[in-house]
């Protein structure tokens, strides 16, 4: 299964015409000789792209370290008391900056696979802040040094928050650069056509993760010439030489085309070719805290968590009730003003109550500000033909039942604020799937009932991903992903993104 250049030109995923590389004789994965990169028309600019990617990664790491050091410098200088000598006032902030950067590095905060991708870099900053607190107390105990309490109780939390905000701004910049095609990692996908297509489509749809798929290797090169717009550049047996020829940084193996022993040998060979091996398991939409690797008798067992631990449930409940109560008090004047506007501009009660279905199919009464005329339900049947909603949902961009004030309230999601009371009562969560109507649940297909395994939410993945603009299948996929993989960290991330989604108002009608 050796691919030769006489296959001619094939279209790449960016629309250009590129010739598949002539790989020559197949090399055994168990070979101890290095795999040499051969220059072909296909990879004339791959070396330059590789150097550019490494430069972007190094620059990102250096900027992140500089931001961490600067925040530590400013935070430590701000909490020093007036009685501190001038020499200590100059040395302590510098020492704090150096130590904090070293702690973040020790926690993996500057690793190539962490920067700009996933919550790992934020977790590294938080772990480093906790380690700094422990180190400060240890130094104070061992050497009898008086560490100012504000430095630990105020300085370190402010340091962690500031460093995370700076990392977030830097991440947004990196994601913009990646969407422009800068700083991407050349990637080869290996597997059967169906599995490879799913991986290629997912990676192409999310370029901010930094994977640029340059080729696909199938069990047989006769299976297809192009997979999801990406050229087939070889067979499974050719993958190492393909990675060497194309300057591939990452090889992603998906499907069941390779056994455990073959994967082991492939990892050895890719190490000599200078590429990383990533295995995409067949388990879909399962990630985060649910997955763990358990080494047992020479095997690496992938364990999938079936039910979330009780401590995570308790933490989510505490977070929900605490934040909902605080937010409820803060937004109460806004809710009262909005209720007065509703009452003055249209007849009827300013608040709207409706029965929705909650966790495990239990009904509850949801509270909202009324945004429609009081006869909205009676007028629904006449508007069925104008339905623009997805699946079982009824939606209209210009719904005549919505009042003028209601459109403003929906635009900024003010009508949802009374649901904070439902969160405090325990009917809902701050984050979760959209609370459905009983008639919608009756129309659910079997797998969609999984949405009812968690409490419905005031916001969720659907809220920060397009809201009513989403297709029904996409909305269900997001809700099922949340139901399967929720965590407190995911909730905090969604709450962070909700503010931006509300201000933009996309899909709010």
């Amino acid at each position: 299964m050796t691919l030769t250049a006489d296959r001619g030109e094939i279209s790449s995923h960016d629309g250009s015409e590129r010739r598949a590389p002539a790989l020559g004789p197949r090399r055994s994965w168990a070979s101890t000789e290095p795999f040499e990169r051969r220059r072909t028309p296909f990879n004339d600019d791959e070396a330059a792209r590789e150097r550019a990617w490494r430069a972007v990664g190094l620059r990102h790491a250096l900027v992140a370290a500089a931001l961490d050091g600067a925040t530590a410098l400013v935070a430590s200088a701000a909490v020093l008391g007036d009685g501190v000598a001038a020499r200590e006032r100059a040395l302590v902030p510098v020492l704090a900056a150096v130590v904090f950067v070293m702690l973040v590095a020790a926690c993996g905060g500057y690793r190539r696979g962490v920067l700009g991708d996933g919550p790992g870099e934020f977790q590294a900053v938080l772990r480093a802040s906790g380690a700094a607190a422990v180190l400060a107390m240890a130094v104070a105990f061992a050497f009898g040094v008086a560490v100012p309490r504000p430095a630990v109780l105020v300085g370190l939390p402010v340091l962690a928050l500031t460093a995370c905000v700076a990392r977030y701004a830097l991440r947004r910049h990196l994601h913009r650069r990646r969407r422009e095609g800068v700083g991407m990692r050349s990637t080869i996908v290996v597997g059967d056509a169906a599995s490879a297509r799913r991986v290629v489509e997912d990676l192409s749809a999310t370029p901010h993760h930094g994977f640029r798929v340059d080729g696909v290797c199938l069990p047989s090169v006769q299976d297809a010439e192009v997979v999801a717009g990406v050229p087939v550049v070889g067979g499974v047996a050719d993958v190492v030489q393909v990675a060497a020829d194309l300057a591939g940084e990452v090889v992603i193996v998906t499907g069941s085309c390779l056994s455990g022993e073959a994967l082991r040998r492939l990892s050895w060979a890719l190490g000599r070719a200078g590429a990383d091996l990533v295995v995409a398991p067949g388990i879909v939409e399962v990630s985060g805290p649910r997955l763990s690797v358990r080494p047992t008798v020479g095997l690496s067992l992938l364990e999938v968590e079936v039910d979330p631990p009780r401590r995570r449930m308790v933490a989510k409940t505490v977070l929900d009730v605490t934040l909902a109560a605080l937010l409820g008090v803060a937004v109460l004047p806004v809710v009262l003003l909005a209720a007065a506007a509703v009452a003055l501009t249209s007849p009827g009660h300013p608040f709207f109550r409706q029965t929705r279905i909650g966790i495990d199919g239990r009904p509850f009464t949801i509270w909202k500000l009324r945004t429609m005329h009081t006869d909205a339900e009676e007028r629904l049947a006449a508007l069925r033909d104008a339905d623009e909603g997805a699946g079982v949902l009824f939606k209209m961009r210009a719904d005549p039942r919505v009042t003028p004030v209601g459109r403003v309230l929906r635009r900024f999601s003010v009508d949802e604020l009374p649901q904070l009371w439902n969160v405090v009562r325990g009917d809902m969560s701050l984050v979760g799937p959209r609370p459905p109507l009983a008639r919608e649940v009756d129309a659910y297909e079997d797998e969609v009932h999984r949405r009812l395994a968690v409490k419905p939410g005031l916001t969720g993945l659907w809220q920060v991903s397009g809201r009513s603009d989403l297709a029904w299948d996409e909305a269900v996929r997001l809700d099922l992903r949340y139901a399967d993989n929720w965590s407190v960290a995911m909730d905090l991330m969604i709450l962070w993104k909700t503010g931006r989604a509300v201000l933009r108002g996309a899909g709010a009608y």
Side-chain angles (χ1 to χ4, degrees):
M1 288 186 296
T2 300
L3 183 66
T4 58
D6 60 7
R7 286 186 57 187
E9 301 289 350
I10 51 180
S11 298
S12 68
H13 58 289
D14 59 3
S16 61
E17 296 292 328
R18 301 201 293 184
R19 183 177 296 276
L23 300 178
R26 205 166 54 203
R27 292 279 306 280
S28 170
W29 292 349
S31 172
T32 58
E33 299 178 12
F35 284 82
E36 297 181 0
R37 182 175 301 165
R38 289 188 286 270
R39 189 179 181 85
T40 71
F42 192 88
N43 71 338
D44 283 342
D45 61 343
E46 290 301 323
R49 287 179 176 178
E50 179 185 358
R51 289 193 297 270
W53 176 82
R54 292 185 182 278
V56 170
L58 177 61
R59 185 162 58 248
H60 188 82
L62 291 176
V63 172
L67 289 174
D68 291 339
T71 52
L73 186 73
V74 173
S76 58
V79 298
L80 289 177
D82 296 332
V84 180
R87 181 181 177 183
E88 294 179 356
R89 184 175 292 277
L91 291 178
V92 169
V94 175
L95 180 62
V98 173
V99 170
F100 185 67
V101 170
M102 293 174 62
L103 289 174
V104 174
C107 294
Y110 305 119
R111 289 205 313 267
R112 184 174 61 183
V114 169
L115 287 170
D117 191 28
E121 59 178 324
F122 299 111
Q123 294 172 356
V125 170
L126 296 177
R127 287 195 297 266
S129 302
V134 174
L135 181 61
M137 291 185 289
V139 169
F141 178 79
F143 299 99
V145 179
V147 177
R149 290 183 180 179
V152 178
L153 301 179
V154 179
L156 285 176
V158 170
L159 169 60
L161 178 62
T162 307
C164 287
V165 171
R167 286 293 188 98
Y168 177 77
L170 186 61
R171 167 183 288 206
R172 297 282 296 171
H173 173 73
L174 178 64
H175 287 180
R176 284 195 299 270
R177 297 279 286 168
R178 285 176 173 173
R179 283 191 288 269
E180 296 168 357
V182 179
M184 304 291 283
R185 304 181 71 184
S186 177
T187 304
I188 311 297
V189 176
V190 183
D192 60 88
S195 300
R197 179 176 292 105
R198 186 182 70 248
V199 172
V200 171
E201 290 174 346
D202 289 346
L203 293 181
S204 299
T206 55
H208 61 272
H209 289 302
F211 295 97
R212 186 190 68 247
V213 182
D214 289 331
V216 174
C217 291
L218 300 179
S220 172
V221 295
Q222 281 75 37
D223 290 346
E225 290 193 356
V226 176
V227 174
V230 176
V232 175
V233 294
V236 172
D238 305 320
V239 60
V240 181
Q241 190 63 64
V242 167
D245 286 345
L246 303 188
E249 289 287 331
V250 182
V251 172
I252 298 179
V253 177
T254 183
S256 57
C257 62
L258 293 177
S259 64
E261 183 62 27
L263 284 174
R264 185 186 188 194
R265 291 179 177 274
L266 178 59
S267 67
W268 297 344
L270 288 176
R272 295 192 302 278
D276 296 331
L277 174 63
V278 176
V279 178
I283 305 174
V284 296
E285 299 292 358
V286 177
S287 61
R290 292 191 66 200
L291 291 179
S292 60
V293 178
R294 176 181 295 181
T296 304
V297 197
L299 300 175
S300 294
L301 305 180
L302 188 63
E303 183 176 3
V304 180
E305 180 185 89
V306 178
D307 293 317
R310 184 174 179 81
R311 65 179 182 278
R312 203 190 309 164
M313 298 287 293
V314 172
K316 181 177 176 67
T317 301
V318 171
L319 177 70
D320 284 341
V321 174
T322 303
L323 285 183
L326 294 175
L327 288 173
V329 173
V331 303
L332 183 58
V334 176
V335 174
L336 294 178
L337 287 174
V342 172
L344 292 173
T345 56
S346 64
H349 200 282
F351 290 96
F352 174 72
R353 293 182 299 172
Q354 190 177 47
T355 300
R356 297 290 182 99
I357 305 301
I359 187 172
D360 296 330
R362 293 195 294 267
F364 70 98
T365 300
I366 196 173
W367 285 81
K368 302 178 70 174
L369 285 166
R370 182 171 57 83
T371 59
M372 291 186 173
H373 295 288
T374 54
D375 60 347
E377 287 297 321
E378 289 76 10
R379 297 165 62 182
L380 178 60
L383 298 172
R384 284 293 182 187
D385 293 339
D387 184 11
E388 301 175 39
V392 301
L393 302 179
F394 177 87
K395 289 286 184 180
M396 287 182 63
R397 292 182 182 273
D399 194 330
R401 302 174 300 163
V402 180
T403 65
V405 171
R407 295 190 189 282
V408 177
L409 298 182
R410 289 189 173 201
R411 170 65 176 77
F412 297 103
S413 298
V414 177
D415 60 314
E416 311 282 356
L417 293 180
Q419 293 173 40
L420 290 169
W421 173 242
N422 290 113
V423 177
V424 173
R425 283 172 48 88
D427 300 324
M428 295 176 60
S429 174
L430 286 174
V431 181
R434 173 188 169 276
L437 294 166
R439 65 171 179 266
E440 295 172 358
V441 175
D442 293 338
Y444 279 176
E445 298 178 359
D446 288 343
E447 67 172 6
V448 185
H449 283 88
R450 176 66 179 173
R451 298 172 79 249
L452 305 179
V454 293
K455 289 182 181 180
L458 185 62
T459 183
L461 285 176
W462 53 273
Q463 175 90 353
V464 300
S465 303
R467 299 152 93 176
S468 297
D469 286 340
L470 291 176
W472 171 247
D473 291 342
E474 179 65 13
V476 168
R477 188 175 71 87
L478 290 173
D479 281 343
L480 294 183
R481 177 189 298 175
Y482 178 82
D484 286 342
N485 302 295
W486 72 267
S487 66
V488 174
M490 179 184 286
D491 283 5
L492 293 174
M493 179 197 68
I494 293 173
L495 289 172
W496 172 272
K497 292 183 177 181
T498 295
R500 185 176 60 192
V502 168
L503 291 177
R504 276 192 290 184
Y509 52 86

